[in-house]
Amino acid sequence: MQATYATYFVYYVLISSGFVNAFEPISTTFVVGVGVGLAAVGRTIYNYVYESCDSKWIAFNSTGLKMALDRKLFGQHVASRVIQKAVTGFMNNKNPKKPLVLSLHGWTGTGKNFASQLIAENIYKEGMASSCVHQFGTTHFLLSSQLENYKSQLQQWFKDNVTNCPRSMFIFKWMDQMHPGLIDCIKPYLGYYEYLDGVSYRQAIFIFLSNAGGEQITQVALDFWKAGRDREEIKLQHLEPALSLSVFNNKKSGLWHTRLIDKNLVDFFIPFLPLEYRHVLLCGMAEMSAKGLEPDQDVVDQMAKDMVYFPKSEKIFSLMGCKTISVKLDYYT
């Protein structure tokens, strides 16, 4: 499609400028040759201006991703490490055997959406605004009576977009609120098939975001705190087994009894720990900078103190994480 537009554009310029007529006495072969050459130039210009599925618009920055996760995703040492290693390994693999499938879990405000954004920003030049990044939420699948239609539409959406760009990213938000069974329709696209109906999905990335498993993650963090152990001692192996089992058996989860788990198609279940007061402070300072304000420790401290924490007796973890900080800062500043 893009090459066609570029070619039409070049020939339009040739004709409208009288360029073709100027060469009438000479063999038209020369003109055609010039036209082909200019068409190539036109395609280059088109791809420079408009996003396309090539290295100018899609280039993985491993160092950038690591720095972003380390410096911007507060309180998530487990998630940061897993995401960095999983995405880097996948993007550096010239011949992956299957798409990368990540399932991000944790309470609201712990950074799941933000982590997805950081991944996109370090793969696509346009970040989340890239035409290669596709987001789905519960608003796309409201009616249970239309479940079969949704499945069909979803499958066609995958096929069309991956055909257009093999290096596509699909993000499913609020998986815990989606109809159980919906996501099973995409099982073939996440598997080890080389081609499905002539299309290879092996370079695509699928990311699921869910609050499911938040209780199990919080309990582990709380147990470490009560035992006087440092939060940074928590490892993936402390969380992933119970997390995957909890998500699979949770009837409120979009992954409930899904074949994606049963067939081991999810590469990593990534836990996002509940955030503590100190992490809320860091979020507040970063948000002030993002708003173009001079970071004010007193303002951020007051805002953080007024937020709700749990459990009721210990008040260790922020109930909303960093989710409402942007709005709250508008009030405190």
Side-chain angles (χ1 to χ4, degrees), residues 158-177:
F158 288 150
K159 183 176 181 179
D160 291 345
N161 284 287
V162 174
T163 298
N164 185 54
C165 185
R167 187 66 81 184
S168 292
M169 179 185 291
F170 301 93
I171 302 172
F172 288 81
K173 299 183 176 181
W174 303 106
M175 280 298 297
D176 48 306
Q177 296 182 21

Side-chain angles (χ1 to χ4, degrees), residues 175-247:
M175 280 298 297
D176 48 306
Q177 296 182 21
M178 287 193 183
H179 192 285
L182 170 66
I183 213 66
D184 265 344
C185 77
I186 71 170
K187 172 185 170 290
Y189 307 96
L190 309 188
Y192 292 85
Y193 299 102
E194 186 172 1
Y195 292 98
L196 282 173
D197 295 328
V199 179
S200 174
Y201 295 84
R202 291 182 170 184
Q203 293 184 44
I205 298 177
F206 293 82
I207 301 178
F208 304 121
L209 311 180
S210 175
N211 290 349
E215 292 182 7
Q216 288 72 23
I217 297 169
T218 298
Q219 189 59 54
V220 170
L222 186 59
D223 290 343
F224 268 71
W225 182 85
K226 289 182 176 179
R229 300 178 64 181
D230 195 289
R231 177 190 180 96
E232 277 63 38
E233 292 181 47
I234 300 175
K235 307 296 182 185
L236 181 62
Q237 55 264 33
H238 294 132
L239 295 158
E240 191 176 37
L243 178 58
S244 60
L245 186 61
S246 169
V247 172

Side-chain angles (χ1 to χ4, degrees), residues 91-152:
M91 294 299 294
N92 289 340
N93 186 348
K94 295 182 180 180
N95 187 31
K97 300 302 181 184
K98 66 181 291 296
L100 178 63
V101 184
L102 305 177
S103 193
L104 281 49
H105 297 267
W107 290 132
T108 296
T110 52
K112 302 184 297 296
N113 277 297
F114 187 50
S116 302
Q117 176 185 323
L118 295 179
I119 294 172
E121 288 176 351
N122 286 282
I123 295 178
Y124 307 96
K125 182 178 179 181
E126 297 294 300
M128 293 295 284
S130 170
S131 60
C132 299
V133 177
H134 313 281
Q135 299 186 70
F136 302 89
T138 52
T139 55
H140 293 91
F141 316 106
L142 290 174
L143 304 175
S144 58
S145 61
Q146 295 297 311
L147 183 60
E148 294 306 313
N149 287 335
Y150 293 150
K151 289 181 179 181
S152 177

Side-chain angles (χ1 to χ4, degrees), residues 23-35:
F23 283 93
E24 278 184 359
I26 305 176
S27 171
T28 55
T29 302
F30 175 78
V31 176
V32 171
V34 171

